[in-house]
Amino acid sequence: MSAPIYLDTNATAPLAAEVREAMDPWLQHRPTNPSSVHRAGQRARAAVEAAREQVAALVGGAHEIVFTSGGTEADNLAIWSQLGWPPSGHLVISATEHPAVMEPAVALAALGVGCTRVPVEGDGHVEPGVVKAAVRSDTRLVSVMTANNETGGLQPIGAIAEITHQCGLPLHTDAVQAAAWLDLSEHARGADLLTLSGHKIGGPPGIGALAVRPALGLSALLRGGGQQRDLRAGTEPTALIVGFGAACVRVLARRAQEATRVRALSEQLIDLITTAVPDVHVTVHGPRLPNTVHLCFRYLNGSELVARLDLDGLAASAGSACHSGVTHGSGVLEAMDLAPELARGALRLSLGYHSTAAEIERAGGIVADAVASLRANSRMVR
Ligand code: PLP
């Protein structure tokens, strides 16, 4: 049987060899608490601070880095930190945010904070003017993601930042999916708070960061031993942080080249599938991540397709929020006003730095065959 093909990078990217190598000594030689005053602690401190600079470089070098346990915590920190305690005021988010932004907004709304979800256009992008119209006198924060995890669609962060700054408001952007592919100093230009996650860019899971514009006030979510200048208490996990830093160095060295190579592969994959398969809708035609292919097949159920592809050696995702292994209707596709019969047949194929031309050629054939075979046995009406 041929080697399995992994096209689910937006769920998690394979751990890069150079990341594992960088982490190795920190996993083997203990103790590594960077807050310890002895020499072992100081060595760990130096490694953590070097990694902090590596992560800062990925977002352009102008932000301070607060390490977190991942993208989810960084999103929560960004949002809760700007609404005060007890929380008050008003928050603006887009209708296609990741649950790591949506759910804190829901929790804040239950505590009396106003929350406006601005709608997206049919192609998934937020019109900056709509953000402006949503701002109120008590608005404290606007949060719009850089790139969508399901569709790969990009948001006009630079234009939205201009508006929030005219209104005197900070902008948070969840750049978790964009970081491996886009120059964030350009595509997330003006963002005051940026969320990053290690395991989406070739680093280890369990580590992420909130990049914070220096003058911006931030109140802590986790309180305790005063680590990270009281902004995020908890012993810094040296090995994970070193691995995250190494992943950022790797992305900076390879991003431009990989973005071009992988965009060509993803376009080829779209061509292969849309040529071989009838009744398929390409979800994003506007600006998108180079690695993300989102397709909707009529007369098919996306989760059945994903299960079938898995048996055929291709790891993909139904694209409809599969956050905890539970697949349900996608709020993102609903917000884009996609017809339910299309949204039901959603498939996300997300390529990575590891993807090869030979794999993409094979993947195109596997998807086309699986769709044909499932449709032949489907009871869905044509
Ligand atoms: N934000 C986006 C856009 C994501 O895709 C994810 C992960 O799926 C997260 C946040 C959460 O990141 P983590 O898994 O590091 O908590």
Side-chain angles (χ1 to χ4, degrees):
M1 194 178 151
S2 316
I5 302 172
Y6 186 73
L7 295 184
D8 202 15
T9 302
N10 288 13
T12 194
L15 188 76
E18 50 270 62
V19 169
R20 185 196 301 252
E21 227 168 82
M23 290 173 69
D24 221 31
W26 298 102
L27 292 167
Q28 287 177 27
H29 310 150
R30 297 239 164 208
T32 58
N33 187 334
S35 298
S36 300
V37 293
H38 47 64
R39 276 173 296 168
Q42 285 170 27
R43 269 198 299 278
R45 168 60 52 207
V48 164
E49 296 315 317
R52 208 184 291 279
E53 283 181 21
Q54 291 165 336
V55 177
L58 188 70
V59 294
H63 293 73
E64 285 171 2
I65 299 300
V66 179
F67 288 116
T68 63
S69 61
T72 301
E73 186 190 326
D75 280 343
N76 272 268
L77 176 59
I79 290 172
W80 286 93
S81 76
Q82 298 305 306
L83 275 296
W85 191 261
S88 62
H90 175 242
L91 169 70
V92 177
I93 65 173
S94 90
T96 57
E97 293 302 305
H98 189 272
V101 167
M102 284 289 185
E103 292 303 319
V106 169
L108 283 160
L111 293 173
V113 170
C115 178
T116 303
R117 283 191 204 184
V118 292
V120 297
E121 300 296 305
D123 66 354
H125 88 271
V126 174
E127 268 302 314
V130 175
V131 173
K132 189 171 189 172
V135 168
R136 310 191 321 206
S137 59
D138 62 343
T139 304
R140 299 263 186 99
L141 179 71
V142 173
S143 179
V144 178
M145 69 203 319
T146 314
N148 187 268
N149 45 298
E150 283 183 43
T151 65
L154 305 187
Q155 297 295 358
I157 297 302
I160 294 172
E162 276 175 29
I163 285 173
T164 62
H165 293 163
Q166 279 163 15
C167 302
L169 289 173
L171 173 67
H172 167 244
T173 190
D174 177 333
V176 162
Q177 295 293 347
W181 305 105
L182 306 178
D183 177 353
L184 294 178
S185 56
E186 185 193 326
H187 287 271
R189 195 180 59 252
D192 303 283
L193 296 153
L194 282 103
T195 291
L196 301 171
S197 168
H199 72 110
K200 309 286 186 179
I201 65 166
I207 186 74
L210 186 64
V212 185
R213 183 169 53 78
L216 195 76
L218 193 74
S219 59
L221 197 60
L222 295 187
R223 293 165 198 277
Q227 291 90 345
Q228 302 201 68
R229 296 185 294 114
D230 258 342
L231 294 175
R232 199 279 188 181
T235 302
E236 291 129 305
T238 306
L240 296 179
I241 289 174
V242 166
F244 188 20
C248 291
V249 169
R250 171 176 176 263
V251 167
L252 268 179
R254 293 180 56 182
R255 185 179 57 204
Q257 187 194 335
E258 286 298 321
T260 307
R261 186 184 74 85
V262 169
R263 182 175 294 283
L265 290 181
S266 69
E267 278 166 7
Q268 186 196 347
L269 186 56
I270 293 172
D271 274 356
L272 284 169
I273 296 172
T274 54
T275 306
V277 177
D279 294 315
V280 53
H281 171 82
V282 180
T283 309
V284 177
H285 288 279
R288 68 167 172 93
L289 287 175
N291 77 316
T292 307
V293 171
H294 194 278
L295 302 168
C296 293
F297 298 92
R298 277 183 200 276
Y299 319 119
L300 258 194
N301 180 308
S303 354
E304 281 173 28
L305 177 57
V306 166
R308 167 62 191 254
L309 292 174
D310 188 35
L311 292 176
D312 295 343
L314 172 58
S317 154
S320 51
C322 203
H323 303 288
S324 51
V326 183
T327 307
H328 46 78
S330 161
V332 171
L333 301 183
E334 205 176 298
M336 290 168 67
D337 226 4
L338 203 72
E341 65 272 22
L342 283 175
R344 193 173 46 220
L347 177 70
R348 179 186 74 187
L349 300 160
S350 48
L351 289 67
Y353 288 17
H354 63 278
S355 299
T356 66
E359 282 180 336
I360 295 311
E361 187 82 40
R362 263 180 62 219
I366 292 173
V367 173
D369 289 350
V371 171
S373 138
L374 286 174
R375 277 186 179 159
N377 297 311
S378 163
R379 284 188 311 235
M380 284 192 199
V381 189
R382 291 193 190 213

